[in-house]
Amino acid sequence: QAKEKGRNTWQRFSLETNAGAVERLVLETGLRHALERQEIFLHFQPQVRTVDGVWVGAEALCRWRHPYLGQVPPVKFIPVAEECGLITEIGAWVLAEACRQGVAWQRQGLPALHIGINLSARQFATPGLVESVESILRQTGIDPRLVELELTESMLMDDAAGAAELLHRLRRLGVRLAIDDFGTGYSSLSYLKHFPIDRVKIDRSFIKDLETDPDSAAIAGAIIAMSHSLGLAVVAEGVETEGQLAFLRERGCDEIQGYYFGKPMSAEDFSACLRRQMAAADRI
Ligand code: C2E
Ligand code: MG
Ligand code: MG
Ligand code: MG
């Protein structure tokens, strides 16, 4: 009986493992050709100035339309791309495409927007990152001050001295640096002062519970206050409600990103929305 049970357990285990492995293989195989087949593209989500609601930036978010699987979310394919090393190529493409789009919008007469671009851990650890960023800045002709690279706390913690040096080299190119998902990692604001960081993005998990959980509200408030006292600007991620906005506005949070103002959208939709807003503002 024990043997029987053991076999069932094994069977279930091996089926699940195989399903995971098969999915991974399918994703990895597809990813190898995704760029050249133009299946990867960017969406842009507005970053809004809290005091007046003006769109001042856009975060570039990667999308993959797989021929059979349909849209695969980045939380699924970015880790696979990291494991098989494709992230360097995909990351460079994202960087170039986001910068190119920023320049294109400006040429179309839109105001200069900050462009937020996510870096993955493996990308951050790849030699040549600074050179790659430098050459993309040069090739696209974007004003480097408009480019904001988003990193996470864990990337800085493994080798703090090495990370600090890398950040300083990136900073010397003129780009800005932000800590993404802040509050979910080590969350030591005091160590942030050792890194040349410009902004902190409060993780969505705290924003989500702002109105119902006093602890989340306290943490979000503390992140804003401490960031400001360290001279860092603050962006809140995942703002969906009027109440969350009111809280963040009262605490002086600099910018808001979330479904309340806009979901990630195509570059065309983004510029159309921004134009409508500008036209509406002109009428006031
Ligand atoms: P992230 O950088 O923290 O991006 C914010 C995520 O929160 C996005 O999910 C966005 O769609 C979502 N979001 C924004 N506002 C709201 C809201 O009000 N409500 C809810 N429920 N969600 C909101 P997305 O696009 O699925 O991206 C997930 C993560 O994948 C990103 O988190 C980032 O870590 C990673 N990612 C996306 N694009 C890239 C990329 O080009 N390179 C790298 N390395 N990572 C990327
Ligand atoms: Mg991000
Ligand atoms: Mg985030
Ligand atoms: Mg995130």
Side-chain angles (χ1 to χ4, degrees), residues 71-143:
Q71 279 227 15
V72 184
V75 291
K76 265 208 151 142
F77 75 81
I78 296 287
V80 175
E82 283 221 296
E83 280 169 45
C84 64
L86 285 166
I87 193 66
T88 314
E89 205 186 325
I90 294 174
W93 181 85
V94 168
L95 200 60
E97 179 65 12
C99 292
R100 195 198 58 71
Q101 187 60 62
V103 171
W105 279 332
Q106 263 182 280
R107 292 211 177 112
Q108 293 162 22
L110 293 181
L113 295 160
H114 290 112
I115 309 289
I117 300 164
N118 295 285
L119 292 187
S120 82
R122 171 103 180 239
Q123 215 182 336
F124 190 66
T126 302
L129 173 70
V130 179
E131 291 75 11
S132 161
V133 173
E134 185 174 24
S135 94
I136 289 166
L137 292 174
R138 194 159 9 89
Q139 279 165 30
T140 57
I142 193 166
D143 179 348

Side-chain angles (χ1 to χ4, degrees), residues 45 59 62-63 74 118 120 180-181 204 237-238 240 259 264:
Q45 186 177 30
E59 178 173 3
C62 203
R63 300 287 178 260
N118 295 285
S120 82
D180 203 356
D181 305 337
R204 180 158 62 90
E237 292 192 297
E240 296 186 0
Y259 293 175

Side-chain angles (χ1 to χ4, degrees), residues 59 61 118 150 152 179-182 201-204 237 257:
E59 178 173 3
L61 295 158
N118 295 285
E150 299 189 3
T152 56
I179 301 293
D180 203 356
D181 305 337
F182 192 81
K201 299 187 75 178
I202 308 177
D203 190 68
R204 180 158 62 90
E237 292 192 297
Q257 184 181 339

